[in-house]
Amino acid sequence: MFDKILIANRGEIALRIHRACRDMGIKTVAVHSTADHDAMHVRLADESVCIGPPPARDSYLNKAAIIAAATITNADAVHPGYGFLSENADFAQMVEEHGICFIGPTAEHIRMMGDKITAKRAALAAGLPCVPGSDGAVESEEQALAAAEGMGYPVIIKATAGGGGKGMKQARSPDQLRDAFRLARSEAKAAFGNAEVYMEKYLQHPRHIEIQILADNHGAVVHLGERDCSLQRNHQKVLEEAPSPALNADARERIGRIACEAIGRLGYRNAGTIEFLYENGEFYFIEMNTRLQVEHPVTEAITGIDIVREQIRIAAGAPLGYTQADVRFAGHAIECRINAEDPETFAPSPGRIGGFHTPGGLGVRVDSGLYSGYMVPPHYDSMIAKLIAFGNTRNECLMRLRRALGEFVIEGIKTTIPLQNRLVNAPDFVNGDYDIHWLERFMAGEAQ
Ligand code: MV4
């Protein structure tokens, strides 16, 4: 097992990884920008290294500085968390080339899934159901029009280098398609430096359902069930739950089995998430995430499995040590993301935290790096806390979640707690009756 792990991240996820290390008797190294001198992740770690000025590109995205920090502290492994360098294949490769273990999949698998066309080809070959679409890249308007005739309107154009919704355009007619094609390419070029796009049939009312998997270096693969992440705003998840209120036992068993088989065929290892759209009882692969995800705690709550601990064990070469039949699913969990934002306009709201009180009690977990007197810096993502509630039933979970949201006090800045409070009382949400478009309609006053 590793003796010391460098955590190449900040905020709540750096704390989360530190805690798994502590539980395993592994020492930790924090890295931080000059804006994060007083951050909790730095205070908790055994050692810390300043890696640069506040802008992420000069610190948390600075590959050479992070590898130098790992080298001088004699760290055996690097955990990248989520965001930043977590899905950067070149970084994973550089870390390994320096004789340090990258806690995650191979650089090749990260590269494969980062390019959405190679990802989809690999997914199809591995037996995952995919949205009908173009065979690879669409290079011209003529090719786009021909592809659309084949699958029927509406269609969606997506950036090969994309993910997270950038460079995505839908079209309901040939006229719209010509404009959408040009716009998608220029957006993709601007956002990713790569104009390449592909096409799919546009699904109008799907849910976003993702399967958490774990795979070791010895051929063992398990899934830890699904998460329903349909509640998003501008491609940012707001609230996630496990299990999905939309799946029955049959659908759950089927997609879990298909996901494990595919992971085995791909030779993938470590933790991963396969994302699907789910509509009219069918699953359609869209992307695979090769990192730990923000919403992993809901899966931990219903399985009792520490996903970060498993990532570390797998990276160290340990066998999973259990089979699918040993994974026991129990109860229901919901995560609310709390952002330092105006709950009406979503404008960022950095600043100094005044009073701070976190909820607790049975079935409540808070992952956050905040403390009273802490200054939320303006340079990074606005998510400052995750509140996770667990109950034996969805209703018990909801009651605890409402109770916990009511106890949460964060003074000095604006947060999205008021929005979460409204959301967990909305009749459609309480009934589990929502798709990927519901939240935007709810916020526009068009859904309850
Ligand atoms: C789609 C889709 C409908 N049809 N693909 C958005 C981000 C990217 N990960 C995939 N996305 C979508 N792909 C087809 N063929 C609708 C979306 C989509 C979406 C997906 C998941 C969660 C929220 C979403 C919000 C808008 C659009």
Side-chain angles (χ1 to χ4, degrees), residues 219 281 300 354 373:
E300 296 185 323

Side-chain angles (χ1 to χ4, degrees), residues 156 158 168 200-203 208 232 235 277 287 436:
I156 185 165
K158 297 182 175 183
M168 244 176 48
E200 284 179 351
K201 175 90 184 166
Y202 180 69
L203 304 177
H208 174 125
Q232 310 201 2
H235 302 292
L277 296 179
E287 288 171 25
I436 61 170

Side-chain angles (χ1 to χ4, degrees), residues 131-132 156 158 163-166 168 170 200-204 206-208 229-232 235 237 275-277 286-287 436-437 440:
V131 195
I156 185 165
K158 297 182 175 183
K166 270 205 194 107
M168 244 176 48
Q170 34 168 311
E200 284 179 351
K201 175 90 184 166
Y202 180 69
L203 304 177
Q204 312 214 33
R207 296 177 78 116
H208 174 125
C229 305
S230 301
L231 296 176
Q232 310 201 2
H235 302 292
K237 292 169 186 164
E275 293 189 348
F276 296 93
L277 296 179
I286 46 171
E287 288 171 25
I436 61 170
H437 304 297
E440 310 240 8

Side-chain angles (χ1 to χ4, degrees), residues 68 75 86 123 369 386 411 442:
S86 61
K386 306 189 304 204
E411 287 172 349
F442 175 69

